[in-house]
Amino acid sequence: LTAKFDDAIQQLMAEVITQSDHVESLLHELHSDDDWMLAKDKSGVTVHYRRNPNSPIHTVRAVTTFDNFSPKDFVRFCSLFVETECMHLWFPGGVMKGANVLSWHSKYSKVVQLQISLSLPMVSSRDAIVLGSGYHLPDRNAFLISSKTILEDTCRFCDIPKPGKGIVRMATESIFYVELMKGDVISF
């Protein structure tokens, strides 16, 4: 029994260290100038992009600030990330058609099936299974939410459904960083 307990503790510690390293890496990417190219700086929104080496994929980073944010506004803003089932109501462009929570296994982590439709001829609807994790960063007066594709054979939290007929399973990764700059200004 003690050996099983020790193994479980070691596995948990390894997972915490892996997540911590991942968050540190994400924070570096957000705040570095490494190979980022300015795409646009308009109406208070700055957009940069970067080519991924040996890939046709680009990474995009957008930053803005919101002024005159009250505590009530901040709570409403945070609820956008907690109330996953409402994501399709606010996601830009109307491409998000649904977000089903498959597992909400801890206060700050859940597995979600995203359903996406670009409404373009000859382009199939998509879905993605992501592990979303939230991190409170008190030393930065911020929080970070990371969402990354999880493969069906690597999910220990729930069974991953197969994509529906005509649906293409895609991979995606996103991060959202929200920092309270001063009393009524947040950086997003």
Side-chain angles (χ1 to χ4, degrees):
L1 183 66
T2 303
K4 281 185 178 182
F5 181 74
D6 288 345
D7 287 346
I9 294 296
Q10 291 299 322
Q11 184 180 7
L12 182 60
M13 290 302 295
E15 185 177 319
V16 168
I17 290 169
T18 299
Q19 287 183 10
S20 176
D21 291 344
H22 183 64
V23 168
E24 286 298 322
S25 172
L26 293 173
L27 289 171
H28 172 76
E29 291 293 319
L30 279 173
H31 296 102
S32 80
D33 289 328
D34 300 343
D35 302 321
W36 290 103
M37 306 284 289
L38 179 64
K40 197 171 214 174
D41 189 355
K42 185 177 177 184
S43 302
V45 179
T46 305
V47 179
H48 290 86
Y49 75 94
R50 179 172 65 194
R51 296 181 192 274
N52 293 347
N54 304 317
S55 170
I57 296 176
H58 288 69
T59 301
V60 177
R61 173 177 73 183
V63 177
T64 192
T65 57
F66 299 107
D67 297 316
N68 303 316
F69 237 63
S70 72
K72 190 180 207 178
D73 295 330
F74 189 73
V75 169
R76 288 177 178 156
F77 185 73
C78 292
S79 73
L80 292 175
F81 299 101
V82 176
E83 297 173 354
T84 310
E85 65 281 358
C86 296
M87 188 181 291
H88 69 281
L89 298 173
W90 62 265
F91 200 86
V95 298
M96 185 72 63
K97 299 305 178 195
N100 303 321
V101 176
L102 302 176
S103 170
W104 196 334
H105 46 275
S106 79
K107 184 176 182 179
Y108 298 109
S109 188
K110 54 178 120 174
V111 177
V112 179
Q113 180 180 25
L114 304 173
Q115 299 162 349
I116 300 159
S117 177
L118 299 176
S119 300
L120 296 172
M122 309 290 284
V123 177
S124 298
S125 293
R126 310 277 194 241
D127 87 345
I129 308 295
V130 298
L131 173 62
S133 301
Y135 303 93
H136 179 221
L137 307 169
D139 59 320
R140 295 173 178 260
N141 206 22
F143 68 86
L144 181 139
I145 296 173
S146 168
S147 142
K148 187 172 184 174
T149 297
I150 187 167
L151 304 174
E152 67 183 86
D153 59 344
T154 62
C155 186
R156 69 174 204 261
F157 305 111
C158 62
D159 293 330
I160 303 297
K162 300 279 187 212
K165 185 175 178 162
I167 305 293
V168 175
R169 173 98 3 116
M170 64 180 231
T172 182
E173 182 172 6
S174 60
I175 57 172
F176 301 92
Y177 178 78
V178 179
E179 182 176 348
L180 186 58
M181 304 297 287
K182 57 182 183 177
D184 65 347
V185 178
I186 66 167
S187 173
F188 176 67

